[in-house]
Amino acid sequence: MTDAQKTAAETTDTTLRAPGDSPPDTRPAPVPLLEPREGIPPVTADDAALAEVIAAFAAGHGPVAVDAERASGYRYGQRAYLVQLRREGAGSVLIDPVGCPDLAALGEAIGDTEWVLHAATQDLPCLRDIGMVPTRLFDTELAGRLAGFARVGLGAMVENVLGFALEKGHSAVDWSTRPLPEPWLRYAALDVELLVDLRDALEEELERQGKLEWARQEFAAIAAAPPPPPRKDPWRRTSGMHKVRRRRQMAVVRELWTARDQVAQRRDVSPGKVLGDGAIVEAALNLPANSHALAALPGFGHRMGRRQLEQWQAAVDRARALPENELPQPGQPLNGPPPPRSWADKDPAAAARLSAARAAVTALAERLNLPQENLITPDTVRRLCWEPPAEPAHEAVAEMLAGYGARAWQIELVAPLLTEALRSNGG
């Protein structure tokens, strides 16, 4: 038992409360976690200090708790501005990736052990960028989902599972700030303080529910997944894009989005701080003829300088001058089936298959007490129902599910249900 667990045992009931247990208002009040057990560690920001950290973590034992802080909404991209780690025998460390941009040696030192992260897919890309790639991991957020917890944020999980209350006040601050204020560093260190404790408790709960092997397969899939490919036509995700219907207007969005992205990257600031999505959409809808007309639109107000206005107007003008054959096409090219709302008209049999499949998956997910999307992704179900195998036998359905990336535990559970849905509805 760790120091944290001993403290909780002395002050509150630490029995893991899975969903369906005693209601929250009957539980003891959580114990505020105010300080890391060894105090706030100094920030590691040079090669000499990093070498000491690497040696300490290589000599430590047990899983390694890992977290990263980004400056989303403040800086361009999703790079890490602070990395936090904790391991038994090494304690907690805070590393500044600005001063230590290459952590590959640290990643290698702990590469063979299990990394414990919360919402791993959020942090793994920025960790990969600085040379840290796990071979094994345990995701406490995903474990909470599989165990059936309704609230799976780190604070909620630590409170419900371990009986501690984490500070929540600094999650959205600008982590690119230097020097980082002490309260922020305390918050960051506390984020890894109990991750291994949480991991151990959740492993026991998953074992109790018969879901531990499911979780292990999910974690292995996350660790083995390659980096996602660059998003195609990212400008189409501009907020308010649903209002933009004409191709010429879409071209304005594309040109303004691209110009904004170049400025944001050059200045290393969040694109939204350069020009808001709302302003881009207004310009697209109104197609201003000159910078004076542009200045009258929302988002291009009086505080915007003449040079900025001319820069944005130039993007609008480029879109206005494009020949018809260079204008973007409406909608994104489909990679997969059409939206389900159109299935009844396009293919009534496919719509019937999808309805039956969804009902079966929903019922099973409820019986297993886990989210439907963790039982099987909705996209996988849609693809299978839109283009089912020629003969909807169990083996053929299982093979298609595997081809779409479903794990063995998912296939074992849902293949019989989906096979029946296909057979009963003309699959």
Side-chain angles (χ1 to χ4, degrees), residues 35-52:
E35 287 287 337
R37 66 194 80 170
E38 297 101 8
I40 303 173
V43 177
T44 299
D46 59 55
D47 291 343
L50 180 60
E52 294 181 8

Side-chain angles (χ1 to χ4, degrees), residues 407-424:
R407 266 69 70 191
W409 73 272
Q410 296 174 314
I411 296 171
E412 180 181 358
L413 289 169
V414 304
L417 301 175
L418 296 178
T419 300
E420 178 59 28
L422 297 181
R423 283 175 175 168
S424 302

Side-chain angles (χ1 to χ4, degrees), residues 136-217:
R136 294 189 294 132
L137 63 84
F138 189 107
D139 186 333
T140 50
E141 184 199 50
L142 181 52
R145 292 184 186 278
L146 295 175
F149 286 88
R151 298 168 61 227
V152 293
L154 180 59
M157 293 295 293
V158 167
E159 182 174 323
N160 292 335
V161 176
L162 301 177
F164 284 96
L166 290 176
E167 183 184 357
K168 303 174 183 177
H170 303 301
S171 59
V173 298
D174 181 2
W175 288 97
S176 68
T177 301
R178 293 296 183 273
L180 286 165
E182 182 176 290
W184 299 11
L185 297 175
R186 180 183 296 107
Y187 164 91
L190 289 174
D191 265 3
V192 293
E193 183 79 3
L194 297 179
L195 263 183
V196 174
D197 301 68
L198 181 61
R199 172 236 180 272
D200 293 343
L202 288 171
E203 182 178 63
E204 291 181 10
E205 178 62 17
L206 290 167
E207 178 70 41
R208 185 184 72 81
Q209 295 186 25
K211 298 176 179 177
L212 183 56
E213 176 56 27
W214 303 357
R216 286 172 174 159
Q217 291 182 30

